[in-house]
């Protein structure tokens, strides 16, 4: 997608942990011969090391610092944002000289979002004119960009998943995850869910299904890793449900390495999103050899078992039939 040898990346490095920041982190670590620097939009103290790539981040007023950075920058720029508002942001930023701008939006609901708002569609269309090449993740994104007037020769299909080396996956930290260490030692099956505390992830619906299993005496555990914005005001409810249960465990803002250590030993991973763009954790699970169920709302990494978003019973049942000790419990 890139025409020049070196480029700078605008986005974020964990923390915060998430699909976009994990993608940029691995891109910087593996593509350091091309990535000159990463401009981090999220100030913080607990940042991952990306050396020898230069890590630039503003302690505050990041948009002003980003504006200044782009005004002085002479290299091509690769923007990585979540949703359609990223295009509106580009409309406000300076594009100086003959640099090329590349963009990937990592959210799966872009097409629906720009259809709902004429103002957003108008502003996103103007922002899209400043971008030289788009990396799209799905046919839905391809249609969304086309609706904004983006020509096909400016679109490049990419994958938002950069695999982790299995040799780089740490052992489960017994101090941070004593319960999970106990599950592994006692061969107690546990399943993992992860994501934002929002409705589209259906975390509470998944929890309800596991609660029925526990009421029926099925000895399985549910581990939830959560992060990001609480835009639907569900975080308090989700946390309360998890913390009141002896069979569920809630974790917030865990970095990707620690998440992968727990995922690698899991009996399965569930991603029951009603909207998604790819689901990096799905690809992580499959790569690590963990049975995985994901919804059919987007194109998934090969190897996941695909269900409809309303088939939570079928998803959980599939994973229970493939518990690693080989026993069938449903």
């Amino acid at each position: 997608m890139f025409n020049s040898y070196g480029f700078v990346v605008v986005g974020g490095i964990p923390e915060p942990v998430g699909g976009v920041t994990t993608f940029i982190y691995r891109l910087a670590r593996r593509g350091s011969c091309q990535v000159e620097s990463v401009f981090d939009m999220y100030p913080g103290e607990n940042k991952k090391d990306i050396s020898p790539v230069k890590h630039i981040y503003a302690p505050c007023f990041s948009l002003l610092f980003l504006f200044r950075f782009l005004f002085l920058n002479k290299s091509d720029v690769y923007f990585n944002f979540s949703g359609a508002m990223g295009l509106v942001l580009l409309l406000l930023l300076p594009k100086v000289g003959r640099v090329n701008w590349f963009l990937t939006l990592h959210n799966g609901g872009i097409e629906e979002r720009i259809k709902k708002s004429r103002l957003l569609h108008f502003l996103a269309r103007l922002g899209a004119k400043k971008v030289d090449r788009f990396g799209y993740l799905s046919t839905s994104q391809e249609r969304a960009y086309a609706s904004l007037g983006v020509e096909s020769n400016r679109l490049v299909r990419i994958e938002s998943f950069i695999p982790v080396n299995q040799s780089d996956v740490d052992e489960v930290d017994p101090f941070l995850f004593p319960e999970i260490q106990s599950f592994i030692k006692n061969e107690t099956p546990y399943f993992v869910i992860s994501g934002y505390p929002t409705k589209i992830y259906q975390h509470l619906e998944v929890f309800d299904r596991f609660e029925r299993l526990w009421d029926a005496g099925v000895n399985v555990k549910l581990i939830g890793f959560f992060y990001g914005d609480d835009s639907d005001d569900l975080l308090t409810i989700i946390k309360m449900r998890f913390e009141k249960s002896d069979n569920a465990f809630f974790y917030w803002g865990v970095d990707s390495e620690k998440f992968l250590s727990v995922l690698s030993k899991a009996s399965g991973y569930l991603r029951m999103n009603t909207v998604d763009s790819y689901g990096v954790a799905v690809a992580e699970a499959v790569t690590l050899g963990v049975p995985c169920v994901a919804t059919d709302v987007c194109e998934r990494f090969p190897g996941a078992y695909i269900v409809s978003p309303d088939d939570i019973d079928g998803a959980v049942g599939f994973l229970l039939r493939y518990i690693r000790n080989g026993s069938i419990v449903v």
Side-chain angles (χ1 to χ4, degrees), residues 27 44 55 60 108 118-119 125 149 158 169 178 218 230 255 266 276-277 294 304 313-314:
L27 178 66
H55 189 180
C60 59
R118 290 184 179 181
L119 177 60
R125 189 180 184 93
I158 67 167
V169 178
V218 179
D230 183 23
D255 68 38
D276 214 350
S277 58
D313 285 349

Short mmCIF file of all heavy atoms in Angstrom, two decimals, residues 27 44 55 60 108 118-119 125 149 158 169 178 218 230 255 266 276-277 294 304 313-314:
data_model
loop_
_atom_site.label_atom_id
_atom_site.label_comp_id
_atom_site.label_asym_id
_atom_site.label_seq_id
_atom_site.Cartn_x
_atom_site.Cartn_y
_atom_site.Cartn_z
N LEU A 27 2.97 -3.73 14.01
CA LEU A 27 3.48 -3.16 12.76
C LEU A 27 4.80 -2.46 13.01
O LEU A 27 5.75 -2.63 12.23
CB LEU A 27 2.46 -2.16 12.20
CG LEU A 27 2.86 -1.43 10.91
CD1 LEU A 27 2.97 -2.41 9.75
CD2 LEU A 27 1.86 -0.33 10.58
N GLY A 44 0.06 8.64 28.07
CA GLY A 44 0.08 7.65 29.14
C GLY A 44 1.49 7.30 29.53
O GLY A 44 2.45 7.57 28.81
N HIS A 55 9.04 6.88 19.15
CA HIS A 55 7.69 6.95 19.72
C HIS A 55 7.43 8.39 20.14
O HIS A 55 8.08 8.92 21.04
CB HIS A 55 7.58 6.01 20.92
CG HIS A 55 6.20 5.86 21.45
ND1 HIS A 55 5.89 5.07 22.53
CD2 HIS A 55 5.02 6.39 21.04
CE1 HIS A 55 4.59 5.12 22.77
NE2 HIS A 55 4.04 5.91 21.88
N CYS A 60 -0.59 16.21 26.47
CA CYS A 60 -1.95 16.75 26.50
C CYS A 60 -2.21 17.48 25.19
O CYS A 60 -1.29 17.71 24.39
CB CYS A 60 -2.14 17.70 27.68
SG CYS A 60 -1.01 19.11 27.67
N GLY A 108 -16.10 -2.07 12.20
CA GLY A 108 -16.91 -2.76 11.20
C GLY A 108 -18.21 -2.07 10.83
O GLY A 108 -18.87 -2.47 9.88
N ARG A 118 -26.49 12.44 7.38
CA ARG A 118 -26.10 13.16 6.16
C ARG A 118 -24.91 14.07 6.42
O ARG A 118 -24.05 14.22 5.55
CB ARG A 118 -27.29 13.99 5.66
CG ARG A 118 -28.44 13.16 5.10
CD ARG A 118 -29.52 14.08 4.52
NE ARG A 118 -30.62 13.29 3.95
CZ ARG A 118 -31.67 13.84 3.37
NH1 ARG A 118 -31.78 15.17 3.31
NH2 ARG A 118 -32.62 13.08 2.88
N LEU A 119 -24.87 14.67 7.61
CA LEU A 119 -23.76 15.56 7.94
C LEU A 119 -22.45 14.78 8.00
O LEU A 119 -21.43 15.21 7.44
CB LEU A 119 -24.01 16.26 9.27
CG LEU A 119 -22.88 17.18 9.77
CD1 LEU A 119 -22.61 18.28 8.77
CD2 LEU A 119 -23.22 17.73 11.15
N ARG A 125 -16.91 12.51 3.33
CA ARG A 125 -16.62 12.58 1.89
C ARG A 125 -15.52 13.62 1.62
O ARG A 125 -14.61 13.38 0.82
CB ARG A 125 -17.88 12.93 1.12
CG ARG A 125 -17.75 12.82 -0.41
CD ARG A 125 -19.06 13.18 -1.08
NE ARG A 125 -18.98 12.99 -2.51
CZ ARG A 125 -19.34 11.91 -3.16
NH1 ARG A 125 -19.81 10.86 -2.48
NH2 ARG A 125 -19.24 11.81 -4.48
N GLY A 149 -17.30 8.34 -2.65
CA GLY A 149 -16.67 8.80 -3.88
C GLY A 149 -15.24 8.37 -4.06
O GLY A 149 -14.53 8.91 -4.92
N ILE A 158 -6.57 -5.14 2.86
CA ILE A 158 -5.51 -5.49 3.80
C ILE A 158 -6.10 -6.34 4.92
O ILE A 158 -7.31 -6.43 5.09
CB ILE A 158 -4.82 -4.25 4.40
CG1 ILE A 158 -5.78 -3.48 5.32
CG2 ILE A 158 -4.25 -3.35 3.32
CD1 ILE A 158 -5.09 -2.44 6.17
N VAL A 169 4.65 -15.83 23.48
CA VAL A 169 3.53 -15.85 24.42
C VAL A 169 4.03 -16.27 25.80
O VAL A 169 4.62 -17.34 25.96
CB VAL A 169 2.42 -16.80 23.95
CG1 VAL A 169 1.27 -16.84 24.97
CG2 VAL A 169 1.90 -16.36 22.59
N PRO A 178 -4.21 -15.59 39.69
CA PRO A 178 -4.13 -16.81 40.53
C PRO A 178 -5.27 -17.78 40.26
O PRO A 178 -5.07 -19.00 40.29
CB PRO A 178 -4.19 -16.25 41.95
CG PRO A 178 -4.84 -14.90 41.83
CD PRO A 178 -4.40 -14.38 40.49
N VAL A 218 -22.80 -27.38 35.54
CA VAL A 218 -21.68 -27.56 34.61
C VAL A 218 -20.48 -26.77 35.13
O VAL A 218 -20.57 -25.56 35.37
CB VAL A 218 -22.05 -27.08 33.19
CG1 VAL A 218 -20.85 -27.25 32.25
CG2 VAL A 218 -23.25 -27.86 32.68
N ASP A 230 -16.95 3.28 27.67
CA ASP A 230 -18.22 2.75 28.18
C ASP A 230 -19.37 3.54 27.58
O ASP A 230 -20.19 4.15 28.28
CB ASP A 230 -18.21 2.85 29.71
CG ASP A 230 -19.46 2.26 30.35
OD1 ASP A 230 -20.11 1.41 29.72
OD2 ASP A 230 -19.79 2.69 31.48
N ASP A 255 -2.96 -5.78 29.28
CA ASP A 255 -2.24 -5.61 28.02
C ASP A 255 -2.29 -6.88 27.18
O ASP A 255 -2.65 -7.96 27.66
CB ASP A 255 -0.80 -5.14 28.24
CG ASP A 255 0.10 -6.19 28.89
OD1 ASP A 255 -0.02 -7.38 28.58
OD2 ASP A 255 0.95 -5.80 29.72
N ALA A 266 -6.84 -21.29 27.19
CA ALA A 266 -8.30 -21.38 27.33
C ALA A 266 -8.87 -22.59 26.61
O ALA A 266 -8.27 -23.13 25.67
CB ALA A 266 -8.94 -20.10 26.80
N ASP A 276 -18.93 -5.95 13.67
CA ASP A 276 -17.50 -6.16 13.82
C ASP A 276 -16.82 -5.91 12.48
O ASP A 276 -17.47 -5.95 11.43
CB ASP A 276 -17.21 -7.59 14.28
CG ASP A 276 -16.01 -7.70 15.21
OD1 ASP A 276 -15.28 -6.70 15.34
OD2 ASP A 276 -15.81 -8.78 15.78
N SER A 277 -15.52 -5.65 12.52
CA SER A 277 -14.79 -5.45 11.27
C SER A 277 -13.93 -6.65 10.94
O SER A 277 -13.72 -6.99 9.78
CB SER A 277 -13.89 -4.20 11.37
OG SER A 277 -12.98 -4.32 12.45
N ALA A 294 -17.19 -17.31 16.34
CA ALA A 294 -17.39 -15.90 16.02
C ALA A 294 -18.62 -15.76 15.15
O ALA A 294 -19.05 -16.69 14.47
CB ALA A 294 -16.16 -15.33 15.32
N ALA A 304 -12.16 -20.28 12.44
CA ALA A 304 -13.18 -20.05 13.46
C ALA A 304 -14.49 -20.71 13.05
O ALA A 304 -14.81 -20.81 11.87
CB ALA A 304 -13.39 -18.56 13.68
N ASP A 313 -26.60 -19.87 22.17
CA ASP A 313 -26.69 -21.25 22.65
C ASP A 313 -25.84 -22.18 21.78
O ASP A 313 -25.11 -23.03 22.29
CB ASP A 313 -28.15 -21.73 22.64
CG ASP A 313 -28.95 -21.13 23.79
OD1 ASP A 313 -28.34 -20.53 24.69
OD2 ASP A 313 -30.19 -21.27 23.78
N GLY A 314 -25.95 -22.02 20.47
CA GLY A 314 -25.16 -22.85 19.56
C GLY A 314 -23.68 -22.61 19.70
O GLY A 314 -22.87 -23.54 19.63
#
